[in-house]
Amino acid sequence: MQILLQGGLVVDGSGRPGQKNDILIEDDKIAAIGQIAPSSAMRVLDVKNQVVTPGFIDTHSHSDLEVLLRPQVLPKIMQGITTEILGQDGISLAPLPKQYISTWRKHLAGLDGDSDKVNWEYETTANYLNMLAAAKPGLNEAYLVPHGNVRMEAMGLSNRLATETDIQKMQAIMRREMEAGAWGLSSGLIYTPCSFANRQEIIALCQVVAEYDGCFVVHQRSEADTILESMAEIIDIGRQSGVKIHWSHFKICGKKNWQKAAQIVDLLAKAKAEGIRVSFDQYPYIAGSTMLGVILPPWVEDGGTEKLLARLGDIKLREKMIYDIEHGLPGWDNFIDFAGLEGIYIASVKTKQNQDVVGLNLVELGKLRGKSPYQAVFDLLQAEENAVGMIDFYGNEDNVKCFMKLPEMNVCTDGILCPGKPHPRLYGTFPRILNKYVRQEKVLNLRESNL
C-alpha cells in the first residue's frame, strides 16, 4: 500500500530549516521525499499546515516490563515516540539469575513494576530480548545492560568492593550481553547494588563496552550537594575507558545547589575539548519520580529487599535511619534534604489497603496515619514490600532551560508506568517541549529542539 503525505513542513532532525515536501510511504517504509504527483493507487493525506517529522526517541524509558504486558506502550506512541531505550539506571530485568528472582522483583517493583503474568526465568539478556521480540512491541526497543544486574550475577547483593576475580566475571557477563544485542551499559549510582561499586569497577566494565563502541548511560552518584565531584568521576571513567558518556535525566537537585549550573556547563565543555564524548538527556519538569525507597540511607538495602524489610521492622534501626536522614551521610543524595518531607508525594502503591495515600506528600501521610512522617513512611514501605513510587520536587525552571539549550541535550521521558498518579512526564514530555518551550516561551526553535 502507498500512502502520500502531501504538503507538510518536513523537519527531519538534521538541524536544517523545515522544507515543504511530500512524503511517499510504501510497504511501511519511506520511498521518496520531494514534490510527488499523486496517483489513484495512493491513499493521499493532506498535511498542509502540519509538521511532519521522524518519530521521537525516548532515550530514558522504564517500559522494560510494560512492553511485555501491553506491547503498544500507548503513553509513548500517543506523544509521537517510536523508539525507546530500556535497561536504565543500572537495575532492570536482565540478566537475572534464578536464585535472585524473588528479591529482584521486589527491588524493581517501584521503578519498573511487577507481574505474575511474565515468566521470570529467562536468565539472560538474549532470552529477554527474545521475549521482547515475541511480544511484537509497538515501538522500536533498544536495551542497555544494567550494572546492578551484572554485579548481582557475579557477586550477589552485598555491600563490598569487587575483587579482581569479581571484575573478570563481570566483564565476561558484559561481553555475553553485548554480544546478545545490548547497546551499552547503564548504571544508577544511587541505587543498590550499583552504589556499592567504586570507580575502578565501572572503568573495567566500560572498557568492555568501548570494545563494542557502546555507550555508558549513568544516573550519577550525586545530582545534589556533590554533583561537581560526581560529574568529574563520570568524566574520568570516560577518559580512562574510552567509552561514550551519556548522563541520565540531567538536573540539579536542591535550592542550595542551583547556582552550580555554570560550573556544570564548564565541566561539559572541558570534557569535550579533551576529546571525551559526552551527552545527556533531560525531561522538561522541575520534579522527578522514582521509588520511594531511595529516601532510606543506602546501608538499609545492603543484601537486597528482604534485608531492607527486616531492618524496617527493627525499632532501633528505624531510629538510626531517621538520624542519618536528618544529619546526612557523605556522598549520599538525601532526597528529604533537597526536596523536603512536604515536597515528596506518593505516586503509587501495589495493595488496595493503602490506595488512600496516593497523591499525599509525606507530611500529609503522617497526619493521615496519626504518626510522624518518618514512621508512616517506614510502615508504608514495609506493608508494600518497598513497591512504592514517588514524585519529588527538586529543581527550578532556569536550570531546566539552561541545560535544554545545550547541544549535548536530547529529550527523554524517564516515564515510570505505575498505577496511581504517575508523573506527567510519562504522557506529556514531548508535547510539553513543543508547546511550552518551542511555541510559547521560544527557548528552542523547532529544528533545534533535540526531539
Side-chain angles (χ1 to χ4, degrees), residues 195-233:
S195 58
F196 302 150
N198 62 12
R199 187 180 308 189
Q200 287 67 37
E201 174 181 325
I202 302 168
I203 289 170
L205 293 178
C206 285
Q207 287 171 339
V208 175
V209 177
E211 293 173 12
Y212 294 86
D213 196 29
C215 58
F216 177 45
V217 179
V218 60
H219 180 147
Q220 59 187 333
R221 289 190 199 276
S222 176
E223 297 174 323
D225 296 0
T226 57
I227 187 170
L228 299 176
E229 296 87 343
S230 177
M231 284 189 65
E233 177 189 33

Side-chain angles (χ1 to χ4, degrees), residues 125 129 142-145 174 177-185 212 214:
T125 293
L129 293 179
Y143 192 70
L144 301 168
V145 183
M174 274 303 307
E177 305 304 69
M178 293 298 291
E179 292 286 346
W183 285 62
L185 170 72
Y212 294 86

Side-chain angles (χ1 to χ4, degrees), residues 17-302:
Q19 295 184 332
K20 286 190 176 181
N21 265 321
D22 306 325
I23 299 178
L24 178 63
I25 300 171
E26 188 170 352
D27 296 327
D28 296 328
K29 294 182 179 180
I30 294 175
I33 299 175
Q35 303 302 310
I36 302 168
S39 72
S40 58
M42 299 176 184
R43 179 187 176 193
V44 179
L45 300 179
D46 184 353
V47 294
K48 293 184 182 68
N49 301 317
Q50 304 292 321
V51 174
V52 184
T53 187
F56 303 144
I57 300 171
D58 183 3
T59 55
H60 193 106
S61 169
H62 290 285
S63 306
D64 310 49
L65 180 63
E66 177 75 11
V67 71
L68 299 177
L69 302 171
R70 286 167 284 274
Q72 288 179 304
V73 199
L74 288 177
K76 304 300 182 71
I77 287 287
M78 291 169 67
Q79 58 182 301
I81 296 165
T82 56
T83 299
E84 59 180 358
I85 313 299
L86 308 174
Q88 298 286 357
D89 290 323
I91 51 173
S92 184
L93 271 71
L96 179 55
K98 291 182 180 179
Q99 67 267 34
Y100 293 110
I101 290 174
S102 176
T103 191
W104 198 249
R105 285 176 63 175
K106 293 184 178 72
H107 190 47
L108 282 181
L111 199 63
D112 287 346
D114 190 16
S115 176
D116 290 328
K117 296 179 180 179
V118 170
N119 179 0
W120 289 83
E121 297 191 350
Y122 46 80
E123 296 189 279
T124 65
T125 293
N127 290 335
Y128 169 71
L129 293 179
N130 287 337
M131 291 169 60
L132 200 62
K136 298 182 179 179
L139 288 74
N140 302 305
E141 304 285 358
Y143 192 70
L144 301 168
V145 183
H147 175 202
N149 294 61
V150 173
R151 197 176 211 269
M152 174 175 60
E153 179 174 340
M155 52 184 292
L157 295 167
S158 61
N159 181 2
R160 67 176 179 86
L161 293 180
T163 65
E164 184 60 35
T165 299
D166 293 326
I167 288 175
Q168 290 173 2
K169 288 180 181 177
M170 284 189 274
Q171 287 181 317
I173 295 167
M174 274 303 307
R175 287 192 177 89
R176 183 192 74 200
E177 305 304 69
M178 293 298 291
E179 292 286 346
W183 285 62
L185 170 72
S186 81
S187 191
L189 294 173
I190 72 163
Y191 300 114
T192 59
C194 307
S195 58
F196 302 150
N198 62 12
R199 187 180 308 189
Q200 287 67 37
E201 174 181 325
I202 302 168
I203 289 170
L205 293 178
C206 285
Q207 287 171 339
V208 175
V209 177
E211 293 173 12
Y212 294 86
D213 196 29
C215 58
F216 177 45
V217 179
V218 60
H219 180 147
Q220 59 187 333
R221 289 190 199 276
S222 176
E223 297 174 323
D225 296 0
T226 57
I227 187 170
L228 299 176
E229 296 87 343
S230 177
M231 284 189 65
E233 177 189 33
I234 301 306
I235 290 168
D236 187 56
I237 289 168
R239 178 184 297 117
Q240 294 200 46
S241 68
V243 79
K244 293 179 283 190
I245 296 294
H246 183 87
W247 279 273
S248 294
H249 41 61
F250 209 58
K251 56 182 174 287
I252 305 175
C253 296
K255 188 174 182 178
K256 62 185 175 181
N257 299 306
W258 291 346
Q259 81 283 358
K260 296 176 181 176
Q263 293 169 278
I264 286 170
V265 173
D266 187 54
L267 278 174
L268 287 172
K270 288 179 177 176
K272 288 179 64 178
E274 190 179 334
I276 300 169
R277 294 170 291 179
V278 295
S279 60
F280 64 87
D281 51 43
Q282 176 196 47
Y283 51 81
Y285 297 88
I286 60 170
S289 184
T290 186
M291 42 193 174
L292 184 61
V294 298
I295 72 166
L296 301 174
W299 58 264
V300 181
E301 290 196 66
D302 186 359

Side-chain angles (χ1 to χ4, degrees), residues 388-446:
V388 184
M390 63 96 149
I391 292 172
D392 62 294
F393 286 82
Y394 60 76
N396 72 350
E397 273 289 305
D398 289 342
N399 286 336
V400 170
K401 293 175 183 177
C402 171
F403 297 148
M404 185 178 292
K405 291 187 287 187
L406 297 176
E408 297 83 14
M409 186 278 290
N410 68 266
V411 180
C412 75
T413 69
D414 195 7
I416 298 175
L417 293 106
C418 63
K421 296 183 177 180
H423 193 301
R425 68 193 186 188
L426 172 62
Y427 291 87
T429 287
F430 287 81
R432 182 175 172 87
I433 290 284
L434 292 169
N435 187 48
K436 176 178 172 64
Y437 295 102
V438 174
R439 296 191 187 104
Q440 295 180 4
E441 301 185 12
K442 303 188 186 307
V443 178
L444 303 170
N445 63 50
L446 191 60

Side-chain angles (χ1 to χ4, degrees), residues 237-385:
I237 289 168
R239 178 184 297 117
Q240 294 200 46
S241 68
V243 79
K244 293 179 283 190
I245 296 294
H246 183 87
W247 279 273
S248 294
H249 41 61
F250 209 58
K251 56 182 174 287
I252 305 175
C253 296
K255 188 174 182 178
K256 62 185 175 181
N257 299 306
W258 291 346
Q259 81 283 358
K260 296 176 181 176
Q263 293 169 278
I264 286 170
V265 173
D266 187 54
L267 278 174
L268 287 172
K270 288 179 177 176
K272 288 179 64 178
E274 190 179 334
I276 300 169
R277 294 170 291 179
V278 295
S279 60
F280 64 87
D281 51 43
Q282 176 196 47
Y283 51 81
Y285 297 88
I286 60 170
S289 184
T290 186
M291 42 193 174
L292 184 61
V294 298
I295 72 166
L296 301 174
W299 58 264
V300 181
E301 290 196 66
D302 186 359
T305 304
E306 280 84 1
K307 297 288 183 66
L308 176 150
L309 297 174
R311 292 182 182 114
L312 286 172
D314 186 314
I315 295 174
K316 290 186 178 180
L317 289 180
R318 283 192 178 200
E319 291 174 358
K320 178 172 169 50
M321 293 173 205
I322 295 170
Y323 181 89
D324 287 348
I325 290 170
E326 292 187 339
H327 294 83
L329 294 170
W332 173 48
D333 265 12
N334 185 341
F335 278 68
I336 289 177
D337 176 58
F338 63 67
L341 291 164
E342 70 287 344
I344 297 175
Y345 289 76
I346 308 299
S348 64
V349 296
K350 71 174 184 177
T351 68
K352 292 181 179 179
Q353 59 263 36
N354 284 316
Q355 292 297 324
D356 58 338
V357 307
V358 174
L360 301 182
N361 67 33
L362 301 189
V363 174
E364 294 166 337
L365 171 67
K367 290 179 179 178
L368 180 67
R369 294 294 189 250
K371 55 188 67 175
S372 77
Y374 290 119
Q375 297 299 338
V377 168
F378 298 158
D379 288 348
L380 180 64
L381 289 171
Q382 195 168 33
E384 297 293 321
E385 296 186 309

